[in-house]
Amino acid sequence: MLKLSKRVEYALLAVQEMAIRPEQKISASEIAERYSISQSLVAKVLQQLSRDGVTRSYAGVNGGYMLDRAPERITIAQIIQTIEGSPASIIECQNSDHHDCSAHSTCTIREPLTILQERIQATFASMTVAELASLRTFVQLEVS
């Protein structure tokens, strides 16, 4: 089944926090503590996001990370691309010429699943970090 990696999950948590608190620098330790997740993995993810221009890093005692552009201009697809590189395929033969499939010549699901893959990617490309942040705020209001 399609599943986001921990690295992507941590990146999404981090950018969501930055979108909710746009005027504050947020550190890896803050994110790790808030969500009880690995600080070293959060730090690596934040460095990757910074290298790709999604976030900006600030050194020093009061350092941390902030979004480098408006959350409305950052898509979930961009976060996934930054962390994972090319999008994962839902079937093995989509991104590979070298797969071991005995049904390759008679396969009837490859094309429909390719369409499904394109729709999934379009959904990731259409959702922004701003939406991710606003949905989190909405969910918190509903639960409280």
Side-chain angles (χ1 to χ4, degrees), residues 72-133:
E72 296 82 14
R73 296 184 56 220
I74 306 168
T75 67
I76 304 307
Q78 291 169 329
I79 302 298
I80 295 169
Q81 178 74 31
T82 294
I83 301 302
E84 296 294 333
S86 61
S89 297
I90 59 173
I91 55 175
E92 219 175 287
C93 60
Q94 280 182 322
N95 283 350
S96 173
D97 293 330
H98 309 300
H99 58 278
D100 201 14
C101 178
S102 59
H104 183 72
S105 62
T106 58
C107 182
T108 58
I109 62 168
R110 188 161 100 208
E111 288 305 313
L113 290 179
T114 298
I115 293 168
L116 177 60
Q117 178 72 36
E118 290 167 0
R119 289 180 184 171
I120 291 168
Q121 289 172 339
T123 299
F124 287 146
S126 71
M127 187 174 193
T128 67
V129 170
E131 289 177 88
L132 192 66

Side-chain angles (χ1 to χ4, degrees), residues 5-132:
S5 70
K6 284 283 181 213
R7 294 167 50 84
V8 170
E9 286 181 41
Y10 291 3
L12 292 172
L13 286 170
V15 296
Q16 181 185 56
E17 282 297 316
M18 290 177 216
I20 290 169
R21 301 185 284 162
E23 303 301 320
Q24 293 179 344
K25 295 177 190 110
I26 298 175
S27 69
S29 59
E30 229 180 307
I31 294 166
E33 187 176 312
R34 178 176 179 89
Y35 295 102
S36 301
I37 56 180
S38 165
Q39 181 178 342
S40 63
L41 189 53
V42 171
K44 288 176 186 173
V45 163
L46 287 171
Q47 290 167 358
Q48 228 175 329
L49 291 170
S50 191
R51 275 193 305 271
D52 205 42
V54 175
T55 63
R56 179 175 290 167
S57 66
Y58 298 87
V61 178
N62 295 318
Y65 294 84
M66 296 175 80
L67 293 177
D68 198 34
R69 56 186 182 265
E72 296 82 14
R73 296 184 56 220
I74 306 168
T75 67
I76 304 307
Q78 291 169 329
I79 302 298
I80 295 169
Q81 178 74 31
T82 294
I83 301 302
E84 296 294 333
S86 61
S89 297
I90 59 173
I91 55 175
E92 219 175 287
C93 60
Q94 280 182 322
N95 283 350
S96 173
D97 293 330
H98 309 300
H99 58 278
D100 201 14
C101 178
S102 59
H104 183 72
S105 62
T106 58
C107 182
T108 58
I109 62 168
R110 188 161 100 208
E111 288 305 313
L113 290 179
T114 298
I115 293 168
L116 177 60
Q117 178 72 36
E118 290 167 0
R119 289 180 184 171
I120 291 168
Q121 289 172 339
T123 299
F124 287 146
S126 71
M127 187 174 193
T128 67
V129 170
E131 289 177 88
L132 192 66

